[in-house]
Amino acid sequence: MSNEILDWSVIDYKSTVEHLLQQRGSKLRQAVMEDSYQGKSGKAVNQLGAVNAQKRTTRHADTPLIETPQDARWVFPVDYEWADLIDDQDKLRIIADPTSPYAINGSMAMGRAMDDEIIAAATGTSLTGEDGTTSTAFPAGQTAGTTAGGLTVAKLREAMQLLLAAEVDVDNEPLFCAIGAQQHDDLLGETQAVSLDFTNRPVLVDGRIKAFMGFNFLDSQRLALSGSNRTVVCWAKSGLHLGIWGDINVQISDRADKSYSTQVYVKETIGATRVEEEKVVAITCSEA
């Protein structure tokens, strides 16, 4: 049980409970493909590889049979849950019933868990094959900006070059880039990123860079950090997939075994995977 609840005194407190500073829910869910699943695993997508047409050089030639490469990308569920207890006596000491804010707090925690799964899947090992038992690692060739320093326009150019070289349909598919606070500050120091001399429309919105070079920026402080290097992730929307076995679910009930305290319980069952390696690019950015 949360022992700090008695600190929520009625004296000089607003009736609306304010949550402590934290990321409020998922920021990346909107930027990936999503589907619902049942069972112990799900096939996120059936993949057909590229084929080459054969030139016809003679009349009445045999019909060429050109085998189409096939593969599948799988997603597996992970369970998350959270709960806390609230005594009836505690409710009497505060103006605002804490039940609803507790439920919101738990739901936001579930949203952050979604982002963690998506971020891990972006550059982690994906499971492929007929039954999802083949491991496919993130290729080293999909990492841009291995040079020292923070996030720069040159590194974003390299990321875009990799996507274009892989023939990602950047004209019709939304592109996203998850960056941390340091990387956003790095870009603010790049003249090409903020000056109207290099673009035909303002880049800054209320002092923040929302979009640049075709990427829609999503700020996240949950990106992987190794030593002083942060891994920024760029991707096409169809390149990452979120599987939902059970969406965020909140249950509020009395616990007879806990003196009829109110229990706030939140759960979800989700999984994420990278759909195609060429649709995801990692950028190494130093925060030293």
Side-chain angles (χ1 to χ4, degrees), residues 2 26 28 34 81 93 110 125-126 135 150 175 253 258:
S2 177
S26 173
L28 307 185
E34 181 180 318
E81 63 180 353
R93 290 175 170 85
M110 294 296 131
T125 298
S126 297
S135 296
L175 304 179
S253 59
K258 297 294 183 181

Side-chain angles (χ1 to χ4, degrees), residues 187-235:
L187 285 181
L188 288 178
E190 292 274 295
T191 302
Q192 289 177 269
V194 297
S195 175
L196 289 176
D197 293 336
F198 297 92
T199 181
N200 58 2
R201 62 175 181 172
V203 175
L204 293 178
V205 179
D206 296 328
R208 295 176 58 196
I209 300 177
K210 298 288 189 177
F212 180 65
M213 283 190 59
F215 293 108
N216 297 293
F217 290 109
L218 302 172
D219 68 288
S220 173
Q221 309 313 311
R222 310 184 75 81
L223 296 169
L225 182 66
S226 177
S228 61
N229 289 329
R230 182 82 65 180
T231 300
V232 165
V233 182
C234 303
W235 71 95

Side-chain angles (χ1 to χ4, degrees), residues 31 34 60 170 177 197 244:
E34 181 180 318
H60 310 302
V170 299
C177 185
D197 293 336
I244 304 292

Side-chain angles (χ1 to χ4, degrees), residues 101-148:
Y102 267 54
I104 295 172
N105 211 29
S107 295
M108 291 191 296
M110 294 296 131
R112 293 192 294 274
M114 282 186 181
D115 283 2
D116 290 342
E117 289 293 320
I118 294 170
I119 291 169
T123 58
T125 298
S126 297
L127 296 175
T128 63
E130 184 178 351
D131 53 5
T133 56
T134 302
S135 296
T136 300
F138 186 71
Q142 288 300 113
T143 299
T146 54
T147 56

